[in-house]
CSV table of all heavy atoms in Angstrom, one decimal:
chain,number,residue,atom,x,y,z
A,348,ARG,N,25.2,152.5,-21.7
A,348,ARG,CA,24.3,153.3,-22.8
A,348,ARG,C,22.9,153.3,-22.4
A,348,ARG,O,22.4,152.3,-22.0
A,348,ARG,CB,24.8,153.0,-24.1
A,348,ARG,CG,26.3,153.1,-24.4
A,348,ARG,CD,26.6,152.9,-25.9
A,348,ARG,NE,26.0,153.8,-26.7
A,348,ARG,CZ,26.5,155.2,-26.8
A,348,ARG,NH1,27.7,155.4,-26.2
A,348,ARG,NH2,26.0,156.0,-27.6
A,349,TRP,N,22.2,154.3,-23.0
A,349,TRP,CA,20.8,154.4,-22.9
A,349,TRP,C,20.1,153.3,-23.7
A,349,TRP,O,19.1,152.7,-23.3
A,349,TRP,CB,20.4,155.8,-23.4
A,349,TRP,CG,19.0,156.1,-23.5
A,349,TRP,CD1,18.2,156.2,-22.4
A,349,TRP,CD2,18.1,156.1,-24.7
A,349,TRP,NE1,16.9,156.4,-22.8
A,349,TRP,CE2,16.7,156.4,-24.2
A,349,TRP,CE3,18.3,156.0,-26.0
A,349,TRP,CZ2,15.7,156.6,-24.9
A,349,TRP,CZ3,17.3,156.2,-27.0
A,349,TRP,CH2,15.9,156.4,-26.3
A,384,LEU,N,35.9,157.7,-30.1
A,384,LEU,CA,34.4,158.4,-30.1
A,384,LEU,C,34.3,159.1,-28.9
A,384,LEU,O,34.6,158.6,-27.8
A,384,LEU,CB,33.5,157.2,-30.2
A,384,LEU,CG,32.0,157.6,-30.1
A,384,LEU,CD1,31.6,158.2,-31.4
A,384,LEU,CD2,31.1,156.4,-29.7
A,385,ALA,N,33.8,160.4,-29.1
A,385,ALA,CA,33.5,161.1,-27.8
A,385,ALA,C,32.2,160.7,-27.3
A,385,ALA,O,31.3,160.5,-27.9
A,385,ALA,CB,33.3,162.6,-28.2
A,386,VAL,N,32.2,160.5,-26.0
A,386,VAL,CA,31.0,160.1,-25.2
A,386,VAL,C,30.7,161.0,-24.1
A,386,VAL,O,31.6,161.3,-23.4
A,386,VAL,CB,31.0,158.6,-24.8
A,386,VAL,CG1,29.9,158.3,-23.9
A,386,VAL,CG2,31.0,157.7,-26.0
A,387,ASN,N,29.3,161.4,-24.1
A,387,ASN,CA,28.9,162.5,-23.2
A,387,ASN,C,27.8,161.8,-22.3
A,387,ASN,O,28.2,161.1,-21.4
A,387,ASN,CB,28.4,163.5,-24.0
A,387,ASN,CG,28.6,165.0,-23.5
A,387,ASN,OD1,28.4,165.1,-22.2
A,387,ASN,ND2,28.9,165.9,-24.3
A,388,GLY,N,26.5,162.1,-22.5
A,388,GLY,CA,25.5,161.5,-21.7
A,388,GLY,C,25.2,160.1,-22.1
A,388,GLY,O,24.6,159.4,-21.3
A,389,GLY,N,25.8,159.7,-23.2
A,389,GLY,CA,25.6,158.3,-23.6
A,389,GLY,C,24.2,157.9,-24.1
A,389,GLY,O,23.8,156.8,-24.2
A,390,HIS,N,23.5,159.0,-24.5
A,390,HIS,CA,22.2,158.9,-25.1
A,390,HIS,C,22.0,158.7,-26.5
A,390,HIS,O,21.0,158.7,-27.2
A,390,HIS,CB,21.2,159.9,-24.6
A,390,HIS,CG,21.0,159.7,-23.1
A,390,HIS,ND1,21.8,160.2,-22.2
A,390,HIS,CD2,19.9,159.1,-22.5
A,390,HIS,CE1,21.3,159.9,-20.9
A,390,HIS,NE2,20.2,159.2,-21.0
A,391,GLY,N,23.3,158.8,-27.3
A,391,GLY,CA,23.2,158.7,-28.6
A,391,GLY,C,22.8,157.2,-29.0
A,391,GLY,O,23.3,156.2,-28.5
A,396,LEU,N,26.8,154.0,-35.0
A,396,LEU,CA,27.8,153.9,-33.9
A,396,LEU,C,28.4,152.7,-33.9
A,396,LEU,O,29.5,152.4,-33.3
A,396,LEU,CB,27.3,154.4,-32.5
A,396,LEU,CG,26.9,155.9,-32.5
A,396,LEU,CD1,26.1,156.2,-31.1
A,396,LEU,CD2,28.2,156.8,-32.4
A,407,LEU,N,33.8,162.4,-21.5
A,407,LEU,CA,34.0,163.9,-21.4
A,407,LEU,C,33.4,164.4,-19.9
A,407,LEU,O,33.2,165.5,-19.7
A,407,LEU,CB,33.2,164.7,-22.4
A,407,LEU,CG,33.7,164.4,-23.8
A,407,LEU,CD1,32.6,164.9,-24.9
A,407,LEU,CD2,35.0,164.9,-24.2
A,426,GLY,N,32.2,171.0,-22.3
A,426,GLY,CA,31.6,170.1,-23.4
A,426,GLY,C,31.0,168.8,-23.0
A,426,GLY,O,30.4,168.1,-23.7
A,447,GLY,N,17.7,170.5,-24.0
A,447,GLY,CA,16.7,169.6,-24.4
A,447,GLY,C,15.8,169.4,-23.2
A,447,GLY,O,16.1,170.0,-22.1
A,448,ILE,N,14.7,168.8,-23.2
A,448,ILE,CA,13.8,168.7,-22.2
A,448,ILE,C,14.1,167.7,-21.2
A,448,ILE,O,13.6,167.7,-20.2
A,448,ILE,CB,12.4,168.5,-22.7
A,448,ILE,CG1,12.2,167.2,-23.4
A,448,ILE,CG2,11.9,169.7,-23.5
A,448,ILE,CD1,10.7,166.8,-23.6
A,449,CYS,N,15.0,166.7,-21.6
A,449,CYS,CA,15.5,165.8,-20.6
A,449,CYS,C,16.7,166.2,-19.8
A,449,CYS,O,17.6,166.7,-20.4
A,449,CYS,CB,15.8,164.5,-21.2
A,449,CYS,SG,14.3,163.5,-21.4
A,451,CYS,N,18.9,164.3,-18.4
A,451,CYS,CA,19.9,163.4,-18.5
A,451,CYS,C,20.9,163.6,-19.7
A,451,CYS,O,22.0,163.1,-19.6
A,451,CYS,CB,19.5,162.0,-18.4
A,451,CYS,SG,18.1,161.7,-19.6
A,452,THR,N,20.5,164.2,-20.8
A,452,THR,CA,21.3,164.2,-21.9
A,452,THR,C,22.3,165.5,-21.7
A,452,THR,O,22.1,166.4,-20.8
A,452,THR,CB,20.6,164.6,-23.2
A,452,THR,OG1,19.9,165.7,-23.1
A,452,THR,CG2,19.7,163.4,-23.4
A,453,SER,N,23.4,165.5,-22.4
A,453,SER,CA,24.2,166.7,-22.4
A,453,SER,C,23.6,167.9,-23.1
A,453,SER,O,22.5,167.7,-23.7
A,453,SER,CB,25.6,166.4,-23.0
A,453,SER,OG,25.4,166.1,-24.4
A,455,ILE,N,25.5,169.7,-25.4
A,455,ILE,CA,26.1,169.6,-26.6
A,455,ILE,C,25.9,168.5,-27.7
A,455,ILE,O,25.7,168.6,-28.8
A,455,ILE,CB,27.8,169.8,-26.6
A,455,ILE,CG1,28.4,170.3,-27.8
A,455,ILE,CG2,28.3,168.5,-26.1
A,455,ILE,CD1,28.3,171.6,-28.2
A,456,GLY,N,25.4,167.4,-27.0
A,456,GLY,CA,25.1,166.3,-27.7
A,456,GLY,C,23.7,166.5,-28.6
A,456,GLY,O,23.8,166.6,-29.9
A,457,PRO,N,22.8,167.0,-28.0
A,457,PRO,CA,21.6,167.5,-28.8
A,457,PRO,C,22.0,168.8,-29.5
A,457,PRO,O,21.5,168.9,-30.8
A,457,PRO,CB,20.6,168.0,-27.8
A,457,PRO,CG,20.9,167.2,-26.6
A,457,PRO,CD,22.3,166.9,-26.5
A,459,LEU,N,24.7,169.8,-31.1
A,459,LEU,CA,25.4,169.6,-32.4
A,459,LEU,C,24.5,169.3,-33.5
A,459,LEU,O,24.8,169.4,-34.7
A,459,LEU,CB,26.6,168.6,-32.2
A,459,LEU,CG,27.7,169.0,-31.3
A,459,LEU,CD1,28.6,167.9,-31.2
A,459,LEU,CD2,28.4,170.2,-31.7
A,462,GLY,N,19.2,170.6,-31.7
A,462,GLY,CA,18.7,170.7,-30.4
A,462,GLY,C,17.4,171.4,-30.1
A,462,GLY,O,17.3,172.6,-30.1
A,463,HIS,N,16.4,170.6,-29.9
A,463,HIS,CA,15.0,171.2,-29.6
A,463,HIS,C,14.8,171.2,-28.1
A,463,HIS,O,15.1,170.3,-27.4
A,463,HIS,CB,13.9,170.3,-30.2
A,463,HIS,CG,13.9,170.4,-31.8
A,463,HIS,ND1,13.3,171.4,-32.4
A,463,HIS,CD2,14.5,169.5,-32.8
A,463,HIS,CE1,13.5,171.2,-33.7
A,463,HIS,NE2,14.1,170.1,-34.0
A,507,HIS,N,28.6,166.7,-35.0
A,507,HIS,CA,29.2,165.4,-34.6
A,507,HIS,C,30.3,165.0,-35.5
A,507,HIS,O,31.1,164.2,-35.2
A,507,HIS,CB,28.1,164.4,-34.5
A,507,HIS,CG,26.9,164.7,-33.8
A,507,HIS,ND1,25.8,165.2,-34.4
A,507,HIS,CD2,26.5,164.7,-32.5
A,507,HIS,CE1,24.8,165.5,-33.7
A,507,HIS,NE2,25.2,165.2,-32.4
A,510,GLY,N,34.6,167.4,-35.0
A,510,GLY,CA,35.5,167.5,-33.9
A,510,GLY,C,34.9,167.2,-32.6
A,510,GLY,O,33.8,166.8,-32.4
A,511,VAL,N,35.8,167.3,-31.6
A,511,VAL,CA,35.2,167.1,-30.2
A,511,VAL,C,35.2,168.4,-29.5
A,511,VAL,O,36.2,169.2,-29.4
A,511,VAL,CB,36.2,166.2,-29.3
A,511,VAL,CG1,35.8,166.1,-27.9
A,511,VAL,CG2,36.3,164.8,-29.9
A,512,VAL,N,34.1,168.9,-29.1
A,512,VAL,CA,33.9,170.2,-28.5
A,512,VAL,C,34.2,170.1,-27.0
A,512,VAL,O,33.6,169.3,-26.3
A,512,VAL,CB,32.3,170.6,-28.6
A,512,VAL,CG1,32.1,172.0,-28.0
A,512,VAL,CG2,32.1,170.8,-30.2
A,613,PRO,N,12.1,157.4,-19.1
A,613,PRO,CA,12.9,157.7,-20.4
A,613,PRO,C,14.3,157.9,-20.3
A,613,PRO,O,15.2,157.9,-21.2
A,613,PRO,CB,12.2,158.9,-20.9
A,613,PRO,CG,10.8,159.0,-20.2
A,613,PRO,CD,11.1,158.4,-18.9
A,623,ARG,N,14.1,154.6,-32.0
A,623,ARG,CA,13.3,155.8,-32.4
A,623,ARG,C,13.3,155.9,-34.0
A,623,ARG,O,14.3,155.5,-34.6
A,623,ARG,CB,13.8,157.0,-31.9
A,623,ARG,CG,13.7,157.2,-30.3
A,623,ARG,CD,14.5,158.2,-29.8
A,623,ARG,NE,15.9,158.1,-30.1
A,623,ARG,CZ,17.0,158.8,-29.6
A,623,ARG,NH1,16.7,159.9,-28.9
A,623,ARG,NH2,18.2,158.5,-29.9
A,663,TYR,N,6.4,171.7,-30.4
A,663,TYR,CA,7.1,172.8,-29.8
A,663,TYR,C,6.7,174.0,-30.7
A,663,TYR,O,6.6,173.9,-31.9
A,663,TYR,CB,8.5,172.8,-29.7
A,663,TYR,CG,9.1,171.7,-28.8
A,663,TYR,CD1,9.8,170.7,-29.5
A,663,TYR,CD2,9.0,171.8,-27.5
A,663,TYR,CE1,10.4,169.6,-28.8
A,663,TYR,CE2,9.5,170.7,-26.8
A,663,TYR,CZ,10.2,169.6,-27.4
A,663,TYR,OH,10.8,168.7,-26.7
A,727,TYR,N,14.8,163.9,-37.7
A,727,TYR,CA,15.6,164.6,-36.9
A,727,TYR,C,16.9,163.8,-36.5
A,727,TYR,O,16.8,162.7,-35.9
A,727,TYR,CB,14.9,165.0,-35.7
A,727,TYR,CG,15.7,165.8,-34.6
A,727,TYR,CD1,16.6,166.7,-35.0
A,727,TYR,CD2,15.4,165.6,-33.3
A,727,TYR,CE1,17.3,167.4,-33.9
A,727,TYR,CE2,16.0,166.4,-32.3
A,727,TYR,CZ,17.0,167.3,-32.6
A,727,TYR,OH,17.7,167.9,-31.6
A,729,ASN,N,19.1,163.8,-34.3
A,729,ASN,CA,19.3,163.3,-32.9
A,729,ASN,C,18.3,162.2,-32.5
A,729,ASN,O,18.6,161.7,-31.4
A,729,ASN,CB,19.1,164.4,-31.9
A,729,ASN,CG,20.4,165.4,-32.0
A,729,ASN,OD1,21.5,165.0,-32.2
A,729,ASN,ND2,20.1,166.6,-31.7
A,730,TYR,N,17.4,161.9,-33.3
A,730,TYR,CA,16.5,160.8,-33.0
A,730,TYR,C,16.6,159.6,-33.9
A,730,TYR,O,16.0,158.6,-33.8
A,730,TYR,CB,14.9,161.2,-33.1
A,730,TYR,CG,14.4,162.2,-32.0
A,730,TYR,CD1,13.2,162.6,-32.1
A,730,TYR,CD2,15.3,162.7,-30.9
A,730,TYR,CE1,12.6,163.4,-31.2
A,730,TYR,CE2,14.7,163.4,-30.0
A,730,TYR,CZ,13.3,163.9,-30.1
A,730,TYR,OH,12.8,164.7,-29.2
A,767,TYR,N,28.7,159.2,-36.0
A,767,TYR,CA,27.4,159.6,-35.6
A,767,TYR,C,26.7,160.1,-36.8
A,767,TYR,O,27.1,161.4,-37.2
A,767,TYR,CB,27.5,160.5,-34.5
A,767,TYR,CG,26.1,160.8,-33.9
A,767,TYR,CD1,25.6,160.0,-32.8
A,767,TYR,CD2,25.3,161.7,-34.4
A,767,TYR,CE1,24.4,160.1,-32.3
A,767,TYR,CE2,24.0,161.9,-33.9
A,767,TYR,CZ,23.6,161.1,-32.8
A,767,TYR,OH,22.2,161.3,-32.3
B,961,LIG,C1,15.6,160.6,-22.8
B,961,LIG,C2,16.0,161.4,-24.0
B,961,LIG,C3,15.5,162.7,-24.1
B,961,LIG,C4,15.7,163.5,-25.2
B,961,LIG,N1,15.3,164.7,-25.3
B,961,LIG,C5,15.7,165.5,-26.3
B,961,LIG,C6,15.3,166.9,-26.5
B,961,LIG,O1,14.5,167.3,-25.7
B,961,LIG,N2,15.7,167.6,-27.4
B,961,LIG,C7,16.5,167.1,-28.4
B,961,LIG,O2,16.9,167.8,-29.3
B,961,LIG,N3,17.0,165.8,-28.3
B,961,LIG,C8,16.6,165.1,-27.3
B,961,LIG,N4,17.0,163.8,-27.3
B,961,LIG,C9,18.0,163.2,-28.3
B,961,LIG,C10,19.3,163.6,-28.1
B,961,LIG,O3,19.6,165.0,-28.7
B,961,LIG,C11,20.4,162.6,-28.5
B,961,LIG,O4,20.0,161.4,-27.8
B,961,LIG,C12,21.8,163.1,-28.2
B,961,LIG,O5,22.7,162.2,-28.9
B,961,LIG,C13,22.2,162.9,-26.7
B,961,LIG,O6,23.4,163.4,-26.3
B,961,LIG,P1,24.3,162.6,-25.1
B,961,LIG,O7,25.4,163.5,-24.9
B,961,LIG,O8,23.4,162.3,-24.1
B,961,LIG,O9,24.8,161.3,-25.8
B,961,LIG,P2,26.2,160.7,-26.3
B,961,LIG,O10,26.0,159.4,-26.8
B,961,LIG,O11,27.2,160.9,-25.3
B,961,LIG,O12,26.5,161.7,-27.6
B,961,LIG,C14,25.8,161.6,-28.8
B,961,LIG,C15,26.9,161.7,-29.8
B,961,LIG,O13,27.3,163.1,-29.9
B,961,LIG,C16,28.6,163.3,-30.1
B,961,LIG,N5,29.0,164.1,-29.0
B,961,LIG,C17,28.7,164.2,-27.7
B,961,LIG,N6,29.4,165.2,-27.0
B,961,LIG,C18,30.2,165.7,-27.8
B,961,LIG,C19,31.2,166.7,-27.9
B,961,LIG,N7,31.4,167.4,-26.8
B,961,LIG,N8,32.0,166.9,-29.0
B,961,LIG,C20,31.7,166.3,-30.1
B,961,LIG,N9,30.9,165.4,-30.3
B,961,LIG,C21,30.1,165.1,-29.2
B,961,LIG,C22,29.2,161.9,-30.1
B,961,LIG,O14,29.7,161.6,-31.2
B,961,LIG,C23,28.1,160.9,-29.7
B,961,LIG,O15,28.2,159.8,-30.4
B,961,LIG,C24,16.8,162.9,-26.3
B,961,LIG,C25,17.2,161.7,-26.0
B,961,LIG,C26,16.9,160.9,-24.9
B,961,LIG,C27,17.4,159.5,-24.8
Side-chain angles (χ1 to χ4, degrees):
R348 301 186 66 78
W349 176 72
L384 181 72
V386 169
N387 210 323
H390 291 81
L396 289 171
L407 303 171
I448 59 168
C449 272
C451 48
T452 63
S453 63
I455 194 74
L459 293 175
H463 290 280
H507 314 94
V511 178
V512 176
R623 293 166 299 186
Y663 300 111
Y727 179 36
N729 283 329
Y730 290 180
Y767 193 92

